[in-house]
Amino acid sequence: MNSQQVFTDVACTLCGCVCDDLSLTVVNNRVESTKHACDKASTWFQKFESILNRDRQSKDFCTVRGEASSLETALKLGRTLLSDACHPLVYGLSSSSTKGQGLAIQLADRLGGVIDSSASTGHAPSVLAFQRVGESTSSLGEVKSRADVVVYWGSNPVESHPRHLDRYTRCGTDTPNRTDGTKAFLIVVDVVETETARQADLFVKIDPGSDFEVLWALRGLVQGLTLSDENYGGVRREELVSLAEKMASCHYGALFFGQGLSQGSLAHLNVEAVLQLATDLHRHTRWVVRRMRRFGDVAGADNVLCWQTGYPFSVSLSRGFPRYQPGEFSACDVLENREVDLCLMVGAEGVQQLTQEAVETLSEIPTIVLTHQSTELPFTPTIEIAVQMYGVHSPGTAYRMDDTPIPLRSFFESDLPTDVEILNELLTGLTRE
Ligand code: SF4
């Protein structure tokens, strides 16, 4: 491609915002400039190029035990390894697309294995909390149109989701809910003063590990109780009283929480407390609570897994029907406990979140890794196959952090296979039923 081309309405899958209003100018097979992309996305898009007429025997395409291989050889070995595996793990899925995620589940089902997405190392405690106490949700569009108070709790979107504020919470859309007619009142609750905290109208600094205590105190205040102590989790009582009043007196509030709240021991109780705070606030006004998702299509993996197995992650299909058990069937657990004898990774973005023990197992068992771009892996896979990136080389669908499906368009051509093609090849060639 030598001429200049401009692609509009491109969606970015680098983070859970899945911004779909980007314009990319492509010159000489490279993204030369971007419009509406954040700095992270700009740098990311500039890594890609058309992949045409390359040497298919090069290491860029396919390797077997670190050596360049033909795709046919790799697939043949892959089918043999999968057919011989007694209890395989299928892991990843967050950079795939709906069809690839569906096929990965089909393969795990056929093999009687375990399937898990990178959600199990991210917002898994949040899902457990939703299942216990329910959740009050909305689309990001509704937040943009209606919220007059926004809280980020344990989240620093200026760095992790750079356009979240501009697109959804601080965009200055004129709505009847906002008394100043411009922007929602921004509150940040965190253990350190982050860049987002510096931009906030109100920053509430809490002691590390005290989220539950602060949330419980807030719940009491919203319910009309009086607090007896002077200080809760590093926050003065008067500060909590004014925060509770601010939250209870708005027209529409939206609370976004990140891994600062949902990670660590008993994190599901923190998330339960946030969800119950929203329920308490409903006596006064409308509040919604949403997660800040990390990867572009991790929400899609949840949705497709729920649709096909009834559960969002950590699902075992070894008995011929789905069983859900986070802490037992999550990727880290089955790898650490050496309960699986093969791992098929559909996308390698989740590997950095695995524990050292889990990675050690990956270096000892056969591994088949489908990578969407050259990713540094902490082990040498038995088979590594480069596949097209959805939203760059091939169209697809990704689910935004609010579970809204976003169509992905492609702007580069590629000779690489898609993960759908590879999974289909593996599935149809299996020698066991
Ligand atoms: S905020 Fe996230 S989805 Fe939006 S352009 Fe930046 S990296 Fe991409």
Side-chain angles (χ1 to χ4, degrees):
M1 188 186 300
N2 289 317
S3 55
Q4 172 173 311
Q5 272 185 289
V6 178
F7 296 87
T8 55
D9 301 324
V10 174
C12 167
T13 58
L14 187 56
C15 83
C17 285
V18 195
C19 302
D20 56 353
D21 59 346
L22 276 59
S23 292
L24 306 183
T25 303
V26 173
V27 180
N28 292 338
N29 192 29
R30 286 276 178 188
V31 174
E32 191 181 78
S33 62
T34 60
K35 208 167 141 194
H36 299 148
C38 65
D39 290 348
K40 277 169 75 168
S42 230
T43 311
W44 185 67
F45 274 114
Q46 283 166 12
K47 285 183 191 165
F48 293 104
E49 58 183 350
S50 291
I51 301 173
L52 290 174
N53 307 320
R54 304 280 193 80
D55 177 8
R56 282 209 138 207
Q57 296 292 331
S58 82
K59 278 194 172 191
D60 291 350
F61 285 85
C62 183
T63 60
V64 170
R65 297 184 187 90
E67 300 295 325
S69 159
S70 71
L71 185 59
E72 292 67 31
T73 306
L75 284 172
K76 193 171 167 206
L77 176 63
R79 286 185 208 109
T80 307
L81 291 172
L82 286 167
S83 299
D84 290 349
C86 294
H87 192 219
L89 164 69
V90 179
Y91 177 62
L93 313 183
S94 334
S95 58
S96 185
S97 182
T98 304
K99 221 170 163 188
Q101 289 155 346
L103 273 170
I105 297 165
Q106 211 180 320
L107 193 55
D109 192 17
R110 176 94 177 270
L111 296 167
V114 171
I115 183 152
D116 193 22
S117 82
S118 51
S120 73
T121 57
H123 271 289
S126 313
V127 177
L128 299 183
F130 299 153
Q131 288 166 339
R132 282 167 59 99
V133 299
E135 60 175 331
S136 168
T137 72
S138 73
S139 69
L140 290 172
E142 188 179 327
V143 170
K144 175 180 177 170
S145 303
R146 300 190 61 198
D148 56 337
V149 171
V150 170
V151 177
Y152 288 104
W153 195 302
S155 173
N156 179 16
V158 169
E159 287 176 11
S160 60
H161 301 75
R163 295 188 68 211
H164 198 269
L165 283 97
D166 288 345
R167 286 201 90 198
Y168 304 116
T169 59
R170 293 286 275 175
C171 35
T173 310
D174 203 3
T175 79
N177 282 349
R178 294 179 193 131
T179 47
D180 64 0
T182 52
K183 293 177 179 174
F185 188 85
L186 182 64
I187 301 169
V188 170
V189 183
D190 217 323
V191 295
V192 288
E193 188 179 6
T194 60
E195 189 49 46
T196 312
R198 281 188 273 280
Q199 296 185 18
D201 299 301
L202 175 65
F203 171 47
V204 180
K205 187 169 185 294
I206 64 172
D207 289 340
S210 65
D211 302 83
F212 186 84
E213 184 184 352
V214 175
L215 285 163
W216 223 249
L218 273 176
R219 287 195 65 199
L221 289 168
V222 169
Q223 289 172 19
L225 303 177
T226 307
L227 300 183
S228 53
D229 291 355
E230 289 294 318
N231 183 300
Y232 290 82
V235 190
R236 284 181 301 109
R237 183 175 54 202
E238 298 70 40
E239 226 182 317
L240 282 173
V241 169
S242 86
L243 177 58
E245 282 172 2
K246 185 76 192 169
M247 292 177 83
S249 62
C250 70
H251 290 92
Y252 183 110
L255 188 151
F256 294 93
F257 66 93
Q259 295 203 307
L261 185 78
S262 65
Q263 291 284 284
S265 60
L266 303 180
H268 62 289
L269 295 180
N270 288 341
V271 181
E272 275 185 40
V274 146
L275 297 168
Q276 287 169 313
L277 174 63
T279 306
D280 296 331
L281 284 161
H282 283 161
R283 296 178 187 187
H284 307 277
T285 186
R286 166 89 169 130
W287 271 82
V288 296
V289 177
R290 305 259 40 180
R291 286 172 285 175
M292 300 293 284
R293 309 298 303 265
R294 293 176 298 171
F295 302 118
D297 198 24
V298 67
D302 290 3
N303 277 285
V304 178
L305 266 157
C306 275
W307 153 43
Q308 297 209 351
T309 71
Y311 304 110
F313 62 95
S314 302
V315 180
S316 170
L317 297 154
S318 62
R319 291 193 187 160
F321 57 89
R323 288 180 299 149
Y324 171 59
Q325 196 60 265
E328 186 178 345
F329 301 141
S330 48
C332 274
D333 293 289
V334 292
L335 287 168
E336 282 174 16
N337 297 331
R338 294 171 196 267
E339 289 168 356
V340 285
D341 55 358
L342 179 144
C343 179
L344 166 63
M345 298 184 72
V346 183
E349 64 289 337
V351 79
Q352 305 300 342
Q353 278 70 42
L354 295 175
T355 59
Q356 186 56 37
E357 293 96 313
V359 171
E360 275 167 26
T361 305
L362 283 173
S363 56
E364 290 165 17
I365 61 174
T367 45
I368 304 170
V369 183
L370 311 187
T371 48
H372 293 89
Q373 59 186 123
S374 55
T375 314
E376 285 289 315
L377 294 170
F379 60 95
T380 304
T382 315
I383 300 170
E384 183 174 0
I385 301 173
V387 292
Q388 293 184 20
M389 182 76 201
Y390 291 102
V392 175
H393 302 120
S394 51
T397 305
Y399 281 67
R400 207 166 60 184
M401 62 166 73
D402 60 350
D403 297 312
T404 300
I406 306 285
L408 306 177
R409 62 174 300 185
S410 60
F411 51 90
F412 279 144
E413 293 175 272
S414 174
D415 281 341
L416 295 178
T418 61
D419 59 6
V420 169
E421 286 169 57
I422 299 296
L423 291 168
N424 254 326
E425 287 278 352
L426 293 173
L427 198 54
T428 49
L430 288 180
T431 54
R432 78 184 213 198
E433 286 307 312

